[in-house]
Amino acid sequence: MRKEYIWEVKAHNTPLLKRSCSHCDSDRFYCSEKFRMNAQKKNIDVWLIYRCIKCDNTYNMTIISRTSPESIKKELFHRFQENNRELAWQYAFSTEIRKKNNVEADFDTIKYEIQYEQLFIENLHSTNEDTLFFKVIYASSFQLKLSTVIRNCLKLSSKQLDRLITMQAITVHGKFLEKKHRVKHEDIVKISCEALK
C-alpha cells in the first residue's frame, strides 16, 4: 500500500475586504465573525458583518436575501443565530459570496501555517519507491500557490523547484505542475523520487 503524506494548510485569520470606508480614509474591513438577521413580512435576510479596521464602521455582506425561513435548513438557521464561527469563516473565504456582493478580498493579509511530516531528501536514497504522494488539505481557499507549499514542505530552493518543474517531475491530478497552479482542497501531488535525489 502506498504511503501518502499529508500537507495541511491552516489559515490563522480571515481575509480583509478591500472596500472604501464612508466614515474615514481606510480601505480595509475585517470579518467580525457575527451575523445580522432581519425578518420582513415572510422573508428573511442574513448578512455577515464586517468592520472598518480604523473606525469600526460596519459593512454587511449579504449571505441570504429575501428568503422564506422554511427554505433555510433548521441547523443552518440556528448557526446563524448562534454566530457560529466556523460558518462565518466559511462565508468569509467563499469566492461565490464575494462575487455576489461585488467585493474583493486581500489575501496578502492572511497568516497561515502548513502542518506536515518532515521528509528528508537524503533519506530517499534508501527508498524503493519510484513516486512520492502528497495530499493537500486546504479547507480555507486563499489563492495559495502549490509551488509555495511544495517548497516549504520539502525545504527546496527556488532553483531546485524550477529544475523539478522543467524535468516534469511533479504532477497534480495527472497534469504537470505549472508555477501558477493554485492549491485546491485535496490536491494529490506526485513527485518522482529519482528527480528529488
Side-chain angles (χ1 to χ4, degrees), residues 29-167:
F29 280 69
Y30 70 91
C31 178
S32 71
E33 299 178 357
K34 288 182 169 49
F35 294 98
R36 182 184 163 206
M37 301 176 77
N38 186 38
Q40 283 191 340
K41 296 181 180 176
K42 291 181 180 178
N43 288 330
I44 197 161
D45 295 299
V46 181
W47 299 274
L48 179 58
I49 303 169
Y50 278 79
R51 292 188 173 276
C52 171
I53 60 169
K54 281 190 180 179
C55 72
D56 241 23
N57 179 35
T58 59
Y59 161 67
N60 295 329
M61 189 160 77
T62 303
I63 305 298
I64 291 173
S65 182
R66 293 175 187 172
T67 304
S68 65
E70 296 79 31
S71 64
I72 303 171
K73 290 179 182 173
K74 281 184 180 177
E75 188 216 350
L76 180 60
F77 193 88
H78 181 68
R79 289 171 84 194
F80 284 137
Q81 287 181 315
E82 296 291 307
N83 287 318
N84 182 278
R85 183 176 183 266
E86 188 183 329
L87 186 63
W89 274 51
Q90 192 179 310
Y91 287 120
F93 279 98
S94 169
T95 304
E96 188 184 331
I97 291 293
R98 285 195 306 275
K99 278 184 181 173
K100 183 176 158 185
N101 285 272
N102 198 26
V103 288
E104 194 182 337
D106 184 356
F107 292 119
D108 291 338
T109 60
I110 293 179
K111 291 181 172 59
Y112 68 93
E113 66 176 307
I114 307 172
Q115 294 181 347
Y116 61 96
E117 184 182 335
Q118 184 91 41
L119 184 67
F120 297 99
I121 304 299
E122 53 268 27
N123 293 347
L124 295 179
H125 292 284
S126 57
T127 185
N128 295 321
E129 301 291 331
D130 294 326
T131 309
L132 291 174
F133 295 86
F134 304 92
K135 185 177 184 177
V136 187
I137 305 299
Y138 185 60
S140 303
S141 176
F142 50 93
Q143 296 190 356
L144 183 64
K145 286 184 180 176
L146 185 54
S147 56
T148 301
V149 176
I150 294 170
R151 273 192 61 198
N152 285 341
C153 296
L154 295 179
K155 302 287 185 276
L156 300 173
S157 66
S158 291
K159 200 172 179 180
Q160 287 172 312
L161 182 66
D162 287 343
R163 184 179 67 85
L164 291 171
I165 291 172
T166 303
M167 289 172 70

